[in-house]
Amino acid sequence: MSITNEAELIGMQKASEAVAYTLKKMCSYAQPGMTTKELDNYGAKILSGFGAKSAPFATYGFPGWTCISVNNEFCHGIPSDKRILQEGDLINIDVSAELNDFWSDNGSSFVLGEDIHQYQKLVNVSKEILHKAIYNIKGGVLISDIGHLIETEAKKHGYKVIKNLTGHGVGRGLHEEPHEIANYRDVFNRKRFRKNSVVAIETFISTTSTYAETTNDGWTMVGNRGGFMAQHEHTIVVTDGEPVVLTAMNEIWN
């Protein structure tokens, strides 16, 4: 969507506050021995407290309030009573929701407890690349140029990007135009970021894979060549200068 008046900006700010606060609290609440379903239930209570609804459930019928992916699971992990979190796990939580007809999206990967499997560097690089990408976005910038920046930075650190997972427009629905804000230079995408538009910018930084494939459960995605992936995401408003980071409350850069 494009922000055309103050009421729309306030609506997006409130929806973004709900998802950002929920993500922050879920990341803090996670601990070894907890199931991913317990963690999802905790997030559901927080979102419900805002009066917000789960975006993946409302849009796609996803079997959970939030997506929780662990270790080799890249994204869209289904919360489960059988999946027990362990010390050192690489966890990704993606929280998106609708509140009063406004939709917002954010996500974060983090290491649970001690970094016994050495995932922290991947997590840090993903965060750093997201920050650099977002602060290079303004009205008129080619979407493919931001994708090129993301992939170039990933390669500098010895990582790859997932080419079939992308950022997207958001606001009046979970996925809007532009539908593909890729993590690489898509030479066929000549679209530019538009001033006042709302977009969700996401990193998909991986150790070995370049594509994500859906598993037998119909939702969870893993790498085509295995390995691990870190994702970080903010919803922003594009301006002529620095973007407005609507989901800054998640504190993923702190």
Side-chain angles (χ1 to χ4, degrees), residues 22-56:
T22 301
L23 178 62
K24 175 185 173 183
K25 296 296 285 185
M26 288 180 72
C27 291
S28 298
Y29 187 71
Q31 59 182 318
M34 177 183 294
T35 67
T36 54
K37 183 61 176 174
E38 287 178 87
L39 184 55
D40 184 60
N41 288 342
Y42 177 74
K45 289 180 182 178
I46 300 173
L47 284 175
S48 296
F50 281 99
K53 298 176 183 177
S54 165

Side-chain angles (χ1 to χ4, degrees), residues 125 129 149-161 163 205:
V125 168
I129 293 175
L149 182 157
I150 292 171
E151 184 173 33
T152 299
E153 290 297 317
K155 286 181 175 178
K156 284 182 183 178
H157 294 279
Y159 296 122
K160 304 177 187 298
V161 299
K163 296 193 173 184
I205 312 303

Side-chain angles (χ1 to χ4, degrees), residues 140-187:
V141 170
L142 281 167
I143 289 175
S144 62
D145 283 351
I146 297 302
H148 179 64
L149 182 157
I150 292 171
E151 184 173 33
T152 299
E153 290 297 317
K155 286 181 175 178
K156 284 182 183 178
H157 294 279
Y159 296 122
K160 304 177 187 298
V161 299
I162 302 301
K163 296 193 173 184
N164 62 328
L165 297 174
T166 69
H168 51 89
V170 68
R172 289 299 191 176
L174 179 57
H175 293 105
E176 299 181 333
E177 285 287 344
H179 287 292
E180 293 190 355
I181 303 174
N183 279 203
Y184 68 99
R185 187 193 294 283
D186 180 355
V187 296

Side-chain angles (χ1 to χ4, degrees), residues 11-252:
M12 279 307 306
Q13 287 172 330
K14 288 182 177 179
S16 298
E17 177 183 325
V19 297
Y21 181 76
T22 301
L23 178 62
K24 175 185 173 183
K25 296 296 285 185
M26 288 180 72
C27 291
S28 298
Y29 187 71
Q31 59 182 318
M34 177 183 294
T35 67
T36 54
K37 183 61 176 174
E38 287 178 87
L39 184 55
D40 184 60
N41 288 342
Y42 177 74
K45 289 180 182 178
I46 300 173
L47 284 175
S48 296
F50 281 99
K53 298 176 183 177
S54 165
F57 174 76
T59 305
Y60 302 112
F62 179 76
W65 276 74
T66 66
C67 299
I68 305 175
S69 310
V70 184
N71 294 331
N72 66 306
E73 299 171 346
F74 281 17
C75 61
H76 306 160
I78 301 172
S80 169
D81 285 323
K82 298 179 180 178
R83 190 61 184 263
I84 301 173
L85 300 179
Q86 306 288 336
E87 185 82 14
D89 277 348
L90 174 63
I91 302 173
N92 176 265
I93 302 175
D94 195 302
V95 181
S96 54
E98 176 269 327
L99 178 62
N100 298 325
D101 295 325
F102 292 95
W103 303 65
S104 190
D105 194 358
N106 69 165
S108 179
S109 292
F110 62 97
V111 177
L112 184 63
E114 186 178 350
D115 184 30
I116 56 179
H117 304 298
Q118 285 76 55
Y119 298 137
Q120 192 62 50
K121 179 190 171 186
L122 176 65
V123 169
N124 292 345
V125 168
S126 176
K127 289 182 184 181
E128 292 164 8
I129 293 175
L130 181 66
H131 189 279
K132 188 165 186 176
I134 283 176
Y135 283 98
N136 274 275
I137 293 173
K138 58 184 177 181
V141 170
L142 281 167
I143 289 175
S144 62
D145 283 351
I146 297 302
H148 179 64
L149 182 157
I150 292 171
E151 184 173 33
T152 299
E153 290 297 317
K155 286 181 175 178
K156 284 182 183 178
H157 294 279
Y159 296 122
K160 304 177 187 298
V161 299
I162 302 301
K163 296 193 173 184
N164 62 328
L165 297 174
T166 69
H168 51 89
V170 68
R172 289 299 191 176
L174 179 57
H175 293 105
E176 299 181 333
E177 285 287 344
H179 287 292
E180 293 190 355
I181 303 174
N183 279 203
Y184 68 99
R185 187 193 294 283
D186 180 355
V187 296
F188 299 105
N189 186 353
R190 304 307 298 168
K191 293 181 180 179
R192 298 175 183 271
F193 288 100
R194 292 181 294 106
K195 180 183 177 183
N196 297 326
S197 65
V198 183
V199 293
I201 306 299
E202 310 184 53
T203 54
F204 299 100
I205 312 303
S206 70
T207 56
T208 58
S209 290
T210 53
Y211 286 89
E213 300 175 339
T214 305
T215 62
N216 291 335
D217 67 20
W219 296 100
T220 308
M221 301 191 83
V222 298
N224 64 323
R225 295 178 179 173
F228 303 91
M229 186 195 78
Q231 178 256 20
H232 291 89
E233 175 184 18
H234 271 304
T235 291
I236 69 171
V237 180
V238 179
T239 74
D240 281 336
E242 288 192 355
V244 178
V245 182
L246 293 171
T247 48
M249 187 183 285
N250 65 29
E251 297 184 356
I252 62 176

